[in-house]
Amino acid sequence: MNDIGARDAAAQQAAQEVDVVVIGAGQAGLSSAHHLRRVGFEPDRDFVVLDHSPRPGGAWQFRWPSLTYGKAHGMHALPGMELTDADPERPSSDVIREYFDAYERRFDLRVRRPVDVHKVREGDDGRLLVETSAGTWATRALINATGTWDRPFWPRYPGQDTFRGRQLHTAVYPGPESFKGQRVIVVGGGASGTQHLMEIAPYAAETTWVTRREPVFREGPFDENWGRSAVALVEERVRQGLAPQSVVSVTGLPVNDAIRRARADGVLDRLPMFDRITPSGVEWDDGRRVDADVILWATGFRAAIEHLAPLRLREAGGGIRLEGTRAVADPRVHLVGYGPSASTIGANRAGRAAVGSHPRRHEGAPVAGC
């Protein structure tokens, strides 16, 4: 046996055996863990939840301080415990961190953190090996709920490295005060981009909004039927093995009073995407240029699934093809909070669906998909 084979055998022998490993303790991961408990699985004995964050709260704990709970878009309660009496003026990072913490304790989910998952690979006897900073688990099934926050997307443009000002991504947005007196270009047509612009405009010397596509503003309520239609479009891409798009890319931007004021004041006057970045700003091929001190990339995130690479789940289209939450290429793997289930209500439903495919623990049957 060579050195690699010996190490693999040692890892398998040392692995702790469970029926299910849940990776991630955000909305989707906690929902999955809750439903595992409901059908009779015991934490630490039958399943384990691994989270790399230092404390409860999922990605919410890293949101910028000016994103108050009242401004937070689309937060849906976790199953079995409502979020009530939250102060809309408090930072959403604090409100939701406390809520998730209370939820973990109420349902005794025993989340292990901070634990970094390095990779998931094939083990023996039909099990998957989950190799982490805290040891290795051998599992019959995997629920991957790692979200996107750890993979901010930075587009690349000619001249980007020559810019003498500051470039930063939504992931490290510090709040509007740090842009006082500066000329700021915000790149991105999603909810974060519009929120950043509306916050920064009163402080900045000048703001410019740039997007690849013309933003679509939608009046009226986002009712259940409209939401279902939007999710279905994202779901179709995932079924085809294409990389998922955000739900907002098909729903458009909801219009409220703040959006109306910002449009009337010219804050949300959009320019098409620039062609290059210069040391002092950006330029278009038609000769237009804008000088800037800051470029803020509100360009979204990509799924954090690199640890699944050894399983070769990706299709030629760049995504992981799913049937429901189950990966077509490996039925032991479920992805929740991915693609059509990336919203908070979608994550709840996906967690329930992933667990629903497994027999109840007290029935004594093996975990489905193994």
Side-chain angles (χ1 to χ4, degrees), residues 27 30-31 34-35 38 76-83 99 102-103 106-107 348 352:
Q27 187 96 14
L30 293 183
S31 172
H34 169 81
H35 289 295
R38 285 193 65 191
H76 192 77
L78 284 159
M81 179 176 161
E82 292 296 320
L83 173 53
Y99 171 54
Y103 189 87
R106 174 182 286 190
F107 294 105
N348 280 359
R352 182 175 65 244

Side-chain angles (χ1 to χ4, degrees), residues 35-339:
H35 289 295
L36 283 168
R37 292 228 64 174
R38 285 193 65 191
V39 299
F41 287 77
E42 287 292 325
D44 293 333
R45 184 192 73 183
D46 305 318
F47 76 94
V48 65
V49 183
L50 310 176
D51 187 39
H52 85 114
S53 296
R55 56 186 182 175
W60 289 98
Q61 67 191 278
F62 305 113
R63 305 286 183 176
W64 48 97
S66 57
L67 182 62
T68 60
Y69 182 65
K71 294 179 184 175
H73 179 64
M75 175 61 200
H76 192 77
L78 284 159
M81 179 176 161
E82 292 296 320
L83 173 53
T84 58
D85 301 323
D87 182 353
E89 298 304 314
R90 290 188 68 205
S92 60
S93 55
D94 292 342
V95 171
I96 297 172
R97 174 176 52 79
E98 292 168 7
Y99 171 54
F100 280 17
D101 183 36
Y103 189 87
E104 291 179 18
R105 286 186 281 107
R106 174 182 286 190
F107 294 105
D108 189 26
L109 300 180
R110 305 181 205 174
V111 177
R112 301 189 183 206
R113 61 168 59 89
V115 176
D116 295 324
V117 176
H118 302 313
K119 63 181 175 180
V120 180
R121 62 181 178 85
E122 191 66 51
D124 295 337
D125 301 322
R127 289 181 178 267
L128 296 167
L129 283 183
V130 183
E131 298 181 355
T132 82
S133 59
T136 300
W137 278 266
T139 183
R140 296 179 183 274
L142 178 78
I143 297 178
N144 191 83
T146 47
T148 62
W149 187 259
D150 295 323
R151 284 201 64 205
F153 174 61
W154 289 74
R156 298 299 300 173
Y157 281 87
Q160 195 159 355
D161 295 335
T162 71
F163 183 60
R164 290 193 295 262
R166 179 167 50 135
Q167 295 187 64
L168 68 161
H169 191 276
T170 290
V172 293
Y173 174 69
E177 294 88 351
S178 69
F179 302 96
K180 187 175 181 179
Q182 297 183 314
R183 299 162 299 176
V184 183
I185 297 173
V186 176
V187 183
S192 294
T194 55
Q195 288 173 7
H196 294 337
L197 277 160
M198 290 188 292
E199 283 191 352
I200 291 169
Y203 295 88
E206 178 182 286
T207 59
T208 303
W209 187 27
V210 178
T211 71
R212 274 196 310 131
R213 292 184 293 269
E214 185 77 40
V216 176
F217 291 95
R218 186 174 183 276
E219 296 274 0
F222 277 65
D223 59 25
E224 192 171 343
N225 289 334
W226 177 259
R228 279 204 198 98
S229 299
V231 168
L233 292 173
V234 180
E235 193 169 33
E236 181 57 31
R237 286 183 59 86
V238 171
R239 259 195 235 106
Q240 295 174 22
L242 300 173
Q245 290 179 321
S246 66
V247 174
V248 75
S249 69
V250 292
T251 62
L253 294 163
V255 174
N256 54 29
D257 289 341
I259 291 282
R260 292 188 188 94
R261 286 194 299 271
R263 295 181 75 183
D265 293 342
V267 173
L268 294 182
D269 284 346
R270 169 259 182 188
L271 293 177
M273 199 65 208
F274 48 75
D275 295 295
R276 70 191 65 85
I277 300 174
T278 69
S280 60
V282 299
E283 291 181 348
W284 288 258
D285 285 342
D286 63 7
R288 179 171 13 195
R289 59 175 294 166
V290 171
D291 290 333
D293 303 298
V294 181
I295 300 175
L296 174 56
W297 297 92
T299 44
F301 300 80
R302 299 293 183 264
I305 51 177
E306 298 91 341
H307 54 286
L308 301 179
L311 300 179
R312 302 181 182 277
L313 303 178
R314 286 190 188 270
E315 303 286 334
I320 297 177
R321 190 154 62 95
L322 302 181
E323 288 181 356
T325 61
R326 192 189 300 271
V328 171
D330 191 328
R332 296 168 296 180
V333 179
H334 292 258
L335 274 73
V336 296
Y338 174 85

